[in-house]
PDB file of all heavy atoms in Angstrom:
ATOM      1  N   TRP A 777     122.233-148.271-165.726  1.00 90.00           N
ATOM      2  CA  TRP A 777     121.185-149.265-165.544  1.00 90.00           C
ATOM      3  C   TRP A 777     121.690-150.533-164.855  1.00 90.00           C
ATOM      4  O   TRP A 777     120.949-151.184-164.130  1.00 90.00           O
ATOM      5  CB  TRP A 777     120.571-149.645-166.887  1.00 90.00           C
ATOM      6  CG  TRP A 777     119.798-148.531-167.518  1.00 90.00           C
ATOM      7  CD1 TRP A 777     119.509-147.320-166.963  1.00 90.00           C
ATOM      8  CD2 TRP A 777     119.217-148.508-168.819  1.00 90.00           C
ATOM      9  NE1 TRP A 777     118.795-146.529-167.836  1.00 90.00           N
ATOM     10  CE2 TRP A 777     118.600-147.251-168.991  1.00 90.00           C
ATOM     11  CE3 TRP A 777     119.162-149.420-169.868  1.00 90.00           C
ATOM     12  CZ2 TRP A 777     117.936-146.889-170.155  1.00 90.00           C
ATOM     13  CZ3 TRP A 777     118.494-149.062-171.033  1.00 90.00           C
ATOM     14  CH2 TRP A 777     117.891-147.812-171.171  1.00 90.00           C
ATOM     15  N   CYS A 778     122.946-150.917-165.067  1.00 90.00           N
ATOM     16  CA  CYS A 778     123.404-152.223-164.575  1.00 90.00           C
ATOM     17  C   CYS A 778     123.875-152.170-163.126  1.00 90.00           C
ATOM     18  O   CYS A 778     123.869-153.187-162.439  1.00 90.00           O
ATOM     19  CB  CYS A 778     124.513-152.776-165.472  1.00 90.00           C
ATOM     20  SG  CYS A 778     126.108-151.934-165.294  1.00 90.00           S
ATOM     21  N   GLY A 779     124.314-151.013-162.651  1.00 90.00           N
ATOM     22  CA  GLY A 779     124.725-150.867-161.267  1.00 90.00           C
ATOM     23  C   GLY A 779     126.161-151.212-160.969  1.00 90.00           C
ATOM     24  O   GLY A 779     126.607-151.086-159.822  1.00 90.00           O
ATOM     25  N   HIS A 780     126.942-151.635-161.957  1.00 90.00           N
ATOM     26  CA  HIS A 780     128.324-152.030-161.697  1.00 90.00           C
ATOM     27  C   HIS A 780     129.188-150.881-161.169  1.00 90.00           C
ATOM     28  O   HIS A 780     130.116-151.108-160.399  1.00 90.00           O
ATOM     29  CB  HIS A 780     128.965-152.599-162.973  1.00 90.00           C
ATOM     30  CG  HIS A 780     128.616-154.025-163.234  1.00 90.00           C
ATOM     31  ND1 HIS A 780     127.432-154.396-163.851  1.00 90.00           N
ATOM     32  CD2 HIS A 780     129.281-155.185-162.968  1.00 90.00           C
ATOM     33  CE1 HIS A 780     127.394-155.708-163.954  1.00 90.00           C
ATOM     34  NE2 HIS A 780     128.488-156.218-163.415  1.00 90.00           N
ATOM     35  N   CYS A 781     128.906-149.668-161.605  1.00 90.00           N
ATOM     36  CA  CYS A 781     129.769-148.539-161.241  1.00 90.00           C
ATOM     37  C   CYS A 781     129.158-147.670-160.166  1.00 90.00           C
ATOM     38  O   CYS A 781     129.520-146.502-160.026  1.00 90.00           O
ATOM     39  CB  CYS A 781     130.078-147.696-162.480  1.00 90.00           C
ATOM     40  SG  CYS A 781     128.644-146.857-163.185  1.00 90.00           S
ATOM     41  N   GLN A 782     128.240-148.230-159.355  1.00 91.00           N
ATOM     42  CA  GLN A 782     127.613-147.423-158.316  1.00 91.00           C
ATOM     43  C   GLN A 782     128.653-146.910-157.330  1.00 91.00           C
ATOM     44  O   GLN A 782     129.545-147.641-156.887  1.00 91.00           O
ATOM     45  CB  GLN A 782     126.548-148.225-157.575  1.00 91.00           C
ATOM     46  CG  GLN A 782     125.759-147.366-156.592  1.00 91.00           C
ATOM     47  CD  GLN A 782     124.510-148.055-156.093  1.00 91.00           C
ATOM     48  OE1 GLN A 782     124.223-149.190-156.466  1.00 91.00           O
ATOM     49  NE2 GLN A 782     123.755-147.383-155.247  1.00 91.00           N
ATOM     50  N   PHE A 783     128.532-145.628-156.989  1.00 88.00           N
ATOM     51  CA  PHE A 783     129.446-144.952-156.070  1.00 88.00           C
ATOM     52  C   PHE A 783     128.581-144.172-155.093  1.00 88.00           C
ATOM     53  O   PHE A 783     128.229-143.021-155.347  1.00 88.00           O
ATOM     54  CB  PHE A 783     130.378-144.038-156.866  1.00 88.00           C
ATOM     55  CG  PHE A 783     131.450-143.369-156.045  1.00 88.00           C
ATOM     56  CD1 PHE A 783     132.358-144.104-155.306  1.00 88.00           C
ATOM     57  CD2 PHE A 783     131.560-141.984-156.031  1.00 88.00           C
ATOM     58  CE1 PHE A 783     133.344-143.478-154.559  1.00 88.00           C
ATOM     59  CE2 PHE A 783     132.547-141.352-155.293  1.00 88.00           C
ATOM     60  CZ  PHE A 783     133.440-142.112-154.551  1.00 88.00           C
ATOM     61  N   GLY A 784     128.187-144.838-153.990  1.00 89.00           N
ATOM     62  CA  GLY A 784     127.207-144.241-153.107  1.00 89.00           C
ATOM     63  C   GLY A 784     125.888-144.105-153.846  1.00 89.00           C
ATOM     64  O   GLY A 784     125.431-145.051-154.497  1.00 89.00           O
ATOM     65  N   PRO A 785     125.257-142.924-153.807  1.00 90.00           N
ATOM     66  CA  PRO A 785     123.991-142.746-154.521  1.00 90.00           C
ATOM     67  C   PRO A 785     124.168-142.464-156.016  1.00 90.00           C
ATOM     68  O   PRO A 785     123.181-142.367-156.737  1.00 90.00           O
ATOM     69  CB  PRO A 785     123.378-141.526-153.824  1.00 90.00           C
ATOM     70  CG  PRO A 785     124.573-140.728-153.394  1.00 90.00           C
ATOM     71  CD  PRO A 785     125.626-141.733-153.016  1.00 90.00           C
ATOM     72  N   ALA A 786     125.393-142.340-156.464  1.00 91.00           N
ATOM     73  CA  ALA A 786     125.662-141.967-157.854  1.00 91.00           C
ATOM     74  C   ALA A 786     126.140-143.166-158.659  1.00 91.00           C
ATOM     75  O   ALA A 786     126.521-144.206-158.120  1.00 91.00           O
ATOM     76  CB  ALA A 786     126.704-140.854-157.911  1.00 91.00           C
ATOM     77  N   PHE A 787     126.122-142.990-159.974  1.00 91.00           N
ATOM     78  CA  PHE A 787     126.682-143.961-160.905  1.00 91.00           C
ATOM     79  C   PHE A 787     127.753-143.236-161.719  1.00 91.00           C
ATOM     80  O   PHE A 787     127.475-142.222-162.347  1.00 91.00           O
ATOM     81  CB  PHE A 787     125.603-144.544-161.819  1.00 91.00           C
ATOM     82  CG  PHE A 787     124.576-145.359-161.081  1.00 91.00           C
ATOM     83  CD1 PHE A 787     123.409-144.768-160.613  1.00 91.00           C
ATOM     84  CD2 PHE A 787     124.781-146.701-160.831  1.00 91.00           C
ATOM     85  CE1 PHE A 787     122.470-145.504-159.920  1.00 91.00           C
ATOM     86  CE2 PHE A 787     123.848-147.452-160.136  1.00 91.00           C
ATOM     87  CZ  PHE A 787     122.688-146.849-159.673  1.00 91.00           C
ATOM     88  N   VAL A 788     128.964-143.767-161.682  1.00 93.00           N
ATOM     89  CA  VAL A 788     130.082-143.072-162.311  1.00 93.00           C
ATOM     90  C   VAL A 788     129.844-142.885-163.799  1.00 93.00           C
ATOM     91  O   VAL A 788     130.229-141.857-164.365  1.00 93.00           O
ATOM     92  CB  VAL A 788     131.400-143.830-162.051  1.00 93.00           C
ATOM     93  CG1 VAL A 788     132.544-143.219-162.852  1.00 93.00           C
ATOM     94  CG2 VAL A 788     131.733-143.800-160.569  1.00 93.00           C
ATOM     95  N   CYS A 789     129.189-143.833-164.452  1.00 92.00           N
ATOM     96  CA  CYS A 789     129.027-143.743-165.906  1.00 92.00           C
ATOM     97  C   CYS A 789     128.146-142.580-166.333  1.00 92.00           C
ATOM     98  O   CYS A 789     128.343-142.031-167.418  1.00 92.00           O
ATOM     99  CB  CYS A 789     128.494-145.056-166.472  1.00 92.00           C
ATOM    100  SG  CYS A 789     126.803-145.469-165.956  1.00 92.00           S
ATOM    101  N   LYS A 790     127.160-142.207-165.511  1.00 92.00           N
ATOM    102  CA  LYS A 790     126.262-141.125-165.931  1.00 92.00           C
ATOM    103  C   LYS A 790     126.394-139.874-165.061  1.00 92.00           C
ATOM    104  O   LYS A 790     126.193-138.774-165.532  1.00 92.00           O
ATOM    105  CB  LYS A 790     124.803-141.594-165.972  1.00 92.00           C
ATOM    106  CG  LYS A 790     124.172-141.883-164.630  1.00 92.00           C
ATOM    107  CD  LYS A 790     122.731-142.355-164.812  1.00 92.00           C
ATOM    108  CE  LYS A 790     122.019-142.531-163.478  1.00 92.00           C
ATOM    109  NZ  LYS A 790     121.789-141.242-162.787  1.00 92.00           N
ATOM    110  N   ASP A 791     126.735-140.042-163.784  1.00 93.00           N
ATOM    111  CA  ASP A 791     126.944-138.889-162.909  1.00 93.00           C
ATOM    112  C   ASP A 791     128.405-138.452-162.930  1.00 93.00           C
ATOM    113  O   ASP A 791     128.763-137.407-162.399  1.00 93.00           O
ATOM    114  CB  ASP A 791     126.535-139.228-161.474  1.00 93.00           C
ATOM    115  CG  ASP A 791     125.081-139.635-161.376  1.00 93.00           C
ATOM    116  OD1 ASP A 791     124.238-138.883-161.877  1.00 93.00           O
ATOM    117  OD2 ASP A 791     124.798-140.714-160.822  1.00 93.00           O
ATOM    118  N   GLY A 792     129.261-139.241-163.521  1.00 95.00           N
ATOM    119  CA  GLY A 792     130.682-138.969-163.716  1.00 95.00           C
ATOM    120  C   GLY A 792     131.005-139.242-165.170  1.00 95.00           C
ATOM    121  O   GLY A 792     130.108-139.219-166.007  1.00 95.00           O
ATOM    122  N   PRO A 793     132.242-139.518-165.525  1.00 96.00           N
ATOM    123  CA  PRO A 793     133.326-139.751-164.582  1.00 96.00           C
ATOM    124  C   PRO A 793     133.839-138.489-163.876  1.00 96.00           C
ATOM    125  O   PRO A 793     134.420-138.581-162.816  1.00 96.00           O
ATOM    126  CB  PRO A 793     134.425-140.371-165.449  1.00 96.00           C
ATOM    127  CG  PRO A 793     134.163-139.828-166.823  1.00 96.00           C
ATOM    128  CD  PRO A 793     132.679-139.725-166.925  1.00 96.00           C
ATOM    129  N   VAL A 794     133.619-137.304-164.486  1.00 98.00           N
ATOM    130  CA  VAL A 794     134.064-136.068-163.829  1.00 98.00           C
ATOM    131  C   VAL A 794     133.040-135.690-162.760  1.00 98.00           C
ATOM    132  O   VAL A 794     131.857-135.512-163.049  1.00 98.00           O
ATOM    133  CB  VAL A 794     134.224-134.930-164.852  1.00 98.00           C
ATOM    134  CG1 VAL A 794     134.612-133.635-164.138  1.00 98.00           C
ATOM    135  CG2 VAL A 794     135.261-135.293-165.903  1.00 98.00           C
ATOM    136  N   MET A 795     133.521-135.591-161.526  1.00 97.00           N
ATOM    137  CA  MET A 795     132.640-135.274-160.400  1.00 97.00           C
ATOM    138  C   MET A 795     133.233-134.138-159.588  1.00 97.00           C
ATOM    139  O   MET A 795     134.458-134.048-159.434  1.00 97.00           O
ATOM    140  CB  MET A 795     132.451-136.499-159.508  1.00 97.00           C
ATOM    141  CG  MET A 795     131.687-137.645-160.162  1.00 97.00           C
ATOM    142  SD  MET A 795     131.512-139.064-159.039  1.00 97.00           S
ATOM    143  CE  MET A 795     130.169-139.950-159.829  1.00 97.00           C
ATOM    144  N   ARG A 796     132.344-133.320-159.044  1.00 97.00           N
ATOM    145  CA  ARG A 796     132.789-132.230-158.174  1.00 97.00           C
ATOM    146  C   ARG A 796     133.159-132.815-156.823  1.00 97.00           C
ATOM    147  O   ARG A 796     132.392-133.592-156.234  1.00 97.00           O
ATOM    148  CB  ARG A 796     131.686-131.189-158.038  1.00 97.00           C
ATOM    149  CG  ARG A 796     132.183-129.763-158.031  1.00 97.00           C
ATOM    150  CD  ARG A 796     131.050-128.791-158.086  1.00 97.00           C
ATOM    151  NE  ARG A 796     130.269-128.777-156.847  1.00 97.00           N
ATOM    152  CZ  ARG A 796     129.219-128.002-156.652  1.00 97.00           C
ATOM    153  NH1 ARG A 796     128.815-127.197-157.611  1.00 97.00           N
ATOM    154  NH2 ARG A 796     128.567-128.042-155.504  1.00 97.00           N
ATOM    155  N   TYR A 797     134.312-132.414-156.299  1.00 97.00           N
ATOM    156  CA  TYR A 797     134.827-133.051-155.095  1.00 97.00           C
ATOM    157  C   TYR A 797     133.888-132.909-153.905  1.00 97.00           C
ATOM    158  O   TYR A 797     133.694-133.868-153.145  1.00 97.00           O
ATOM    159  CB  TYR A 797     136.207-132.483-154.748  1.00 97.00           C
ATOM    160  CG  TYR A 797     136.700-132.976-153.417  1.00 97.00           C
ATOM    161  CD1 TYR A 797     137.042-134.311-153.234  1.00 97.00           C
ATOM    162  CD2 TYR A 797     136.795-132.104-152.327  1.00 97.00           C
ATOM    163  CE1 TYR A 797     137.469-134.773-152.002  1.00 97.00           C
ATOM    164  CE2 TYR A 797     137.222-132.559-151.095  1.00 97.00           C
ATOM    165  CZ  TYR A 797     137.556-133.892-150.937  1.00 97.00           C
ATOM    166  OH  TYR A 797     137.969-134.356-149.720  1.00 97.00           O
ATOM    167  N   ASP A 798     133.289-131.737-153.725  1.00 96.00           N
ATOM    168  CA  ASP A 798     132.449-131.560-152.538  1.00 96.00           C
ATOM    169  C   ASP A 798     131.242-132.480-152.541  1.00 96.00           C
ATOM    170  O   ASP A 798     130.702-132.804-151.483  1.00 96.00           O
ATOM    171  CB  ASP A 798     132.003-130.097-152.402  1.00 96.00           C
ATOM    172  CG  ASP A 798     131.112-129.655-153.552  1.00 96.00           C
ATOM    173  OD1 ASP A 798     131.420-129.983-154.714  1.00 96.00           O
ATOM    174  OD2 ASP A 798     130.111-128.970-153.303  1.00 96.00           O
ATOM    175  N   ALA A 799     130.824-132.943-153.735  1.00 95.00           N
ATOM    176  CA  ALA A 799     129.658-133.825-153.827  1.00 95.00           C
ATOM    177  C   ALA A 799     129.985-135.262-153.441  1.00 95.00           C
ATOM    178  O   ALA A 799     129.074-136.033-153.123  1.00 95.00           O
ATOM    179  CB  ALA A 799     129.088-133.790-155.245  1.00 95.00           C
ATOM    180  N   ILE A 800     131.277-135.617-153.466  1.00 94.00           N
ATOM    181  CA  ILE A 800     131.656-137.003-153.184  1.00 94.00           C
ATOM    182  C   ILE A 800     132.701-137.102-152.074  1.00 94.00           C
ATOM    183  O   ILE A 800     133.261-138.175-151.851  1.00 94.00           O
ATOM    184  CB  ILE A 800     132.198-137.699-154.451  1.00 94.00           C
ATOM    185  CG1 ILE A 800     133.458-136.984-154.955  1.00 94.00           C
ATOM    186  CG2 ILE A 800     131.140-137.746-155.540  1.00 94.00           C
ATOM    187  CD1 ILE A 800     134.185-137.730-156.059  1.00 94.00           C
ATOM    188  N   ALA A 801     132.952-136.016-151.368  1.00 93.00           N
ATOM    189  CA  ALA A 801     134.070-135.960-150.419  1.00 93.00           C
ATOM    190  C   ALA A 801     134.007-137.065-149.383  1.00 93.00           C
ATOM    191  O   ALA A 801     135.027-137.684-149.056  1.00 93.00           O
ATOM    192  CB  ALA A 801     134.111-134.593-149.747  1.00 93.00           C
ATOM    193  N   ASP A 802     132.844-137.340-148.823  1.00 90.00           N
ATOM    194  CA  ASP A 802     132.728-138.336-147.755  1.00 90.00           C
ATOM    195  C   ASP A 802     133.143-139.719-148.256  1.00 90.00           C
ATOM    196  O   ASP A 802     133.880-140.446-147.585  1.00 90.00           O
ATOM    197  CB  ASP A 802     131.310-138.374-147.186  1.00 90.00           C
ATOM    198  CG  ASP A 802     130.961-137.118-146.399  1.00 90.00           C
ATOM    199  OD1 ASP A 802     131.898-136.390-146.026  1.00 90.00           O
ATOM    200  OD2 ASP A 802     129.770-136.867-146.192  1.00 90.00           O
ATOM    201  N   LEU A 803     132.658-140.098-149.437  1.00 87.00           N
ATOM    202  CA  LEU A 803     133.001-141.406-149.996  1.00 87.00           C
ATOM    203  C   LEU A 803     134.413-141.433-150.540  1.00 87.00           C
ATOM    204  O   LEU A 803     135.124-142.440-150.437  1.00 87.00           O
ATOM    205  CB  LEU A 803     132.016-141.781-151.110  1.00 87.00           C
ATOM    206  CG  LEU A 803     130.623-142.227-150.687  1.00 87.00           C
ATOM    207  CD1 LEU A 803     129.736-142.389-151.900  1.00 87.00           C
ATOM    208  CD2 LEU A 803     130.684-143.532-149.906  1.00 87.00           C
ATOM    209  N   PHE A 804     134.846-140.321-151.121  1.00 83.00           N
ATOM    210  CA  PHE A 804     136.144-140.264-151.753  1.00 83.00           C
ATOM    211  C   PHE A 804     137.286-140.456-150.755  1.00 83.00           C
ATOM    212  O   PHE A 804     138.363-140.937-151.106  1.00 83.00           O
ATOM    213  CB  PHE A 804     136.316-138.918-152.461  1.00 83.00           C
ATOM    214  CG  PHE A 804     137.511-138.831-153.374  1.00 83.00           C
ATOM    215  CD1 PHE A 804     137.540-139.539-154.554  1.00 83.00           C
ATOM    216  CD2 PHE A 804     138.596-138.046-153.049  1.00 83.00           C
ATOM    217  CE1 PHE A 804     138.640-139.461-155.405  1.00 83.00           C
ATOM    218  CE2 PHE A 804     139.702-137.951-153.885  1.00 83.00           C
ATOM    219  CZ  PHE A 804     139.720-138.670-155.064  1.00 83.00           C
ATOM    220  N   SER A 805     137.032-140.111-149.517  1.00 77.00           N
ATOM    221  CA  SER A 805     138.072-140.229-148.489  1.00 77.00           C
ATOM    222  C   SER A 805     138.259-141.655-148.004  1.00 77.00           C
ATOM    223  O   SER A 805     139.184-141.941-147.241  1.00 77.00           O
ATOM    224  CB  SER A 805     137.731-139.327-147.293  1.00 77.00           C
ATOM    225  OG  SER A 805     136.535-139.744-146.683  1.00 77.00           O
ATOM    226  N   ILE A 806     137.385-142.579-148.453  1.00 75.00           N
ATOM    227  CA  ILE A 806     137.448-143.969-148.000  1.00 75.00           C
ATOM    228  C   ILE A 806     138.081-144.805-149.115  1.00 75.00           C
ATOM    229  O   ILE A 806     137.491-144.966-150.184  1.00 75.00           O
ATOM    230  CB  ILE A 806     136.048-144.510-147.675  1.00 75.00           C
ATOM    231  CG1 ILE A 806     135.350-143.625-146.653  1.00 75.00           C
ATOM    232  CG2 ILE A 806     136.151-145.959-147.163  1.00 75.00           C
ATOM    233  CD1 ILE A 806     133.895-144.003-146.407  1.00 75.00           C
ATOM    234  N   PRO A 807     139.275-145.352-148.900  1.00 66.00           N
ATOM    235  CA  PRO A 807     139.928-146.163-149.935  1.00 66.00           C
ATOM    236  C   PRO A 807     139.087-147.383-150.305  1.00 66.00           C
ATOM    237  O   PRO A 807     138.418-147.979-149.454  1.00 66.00           O
ATOM    238  CB  PRO A 807     141.256-146.576-149.290  1.00 66.00           C
ATOM    239  CG  PRO A 807     141.494-145.576-148.213  1.00 66.00           C
ATOM    240  CD  PRO A 807     140.140-145.204-147.704  1.00 66.00           C
TER     241      PRO A 807
END
């Protein structure tokens, strides 16, 4: 709800913390 952990279209707190790599590959490659 707060948006602090937004990671692209996802939120790490509810869509993660465990995420499938292919779903986040584009963002994950950007430091």
Side-chain angles (χ1 to χ4, degrees):
W777 292 354
C778 73
H780 279 82
C781 66
Q782 187 167 1
F783 185 58
F787 295 92
V788 173
C789 66
K790 69 181 185 68
D791 301 308
V794 177
M795 293 180 162
R796 219 172 70 180
Y797 172 68
D798 64 317
I800 62 171
D802 291 343
L803 285 173
F804 191 70
S805 63
I806 304 173

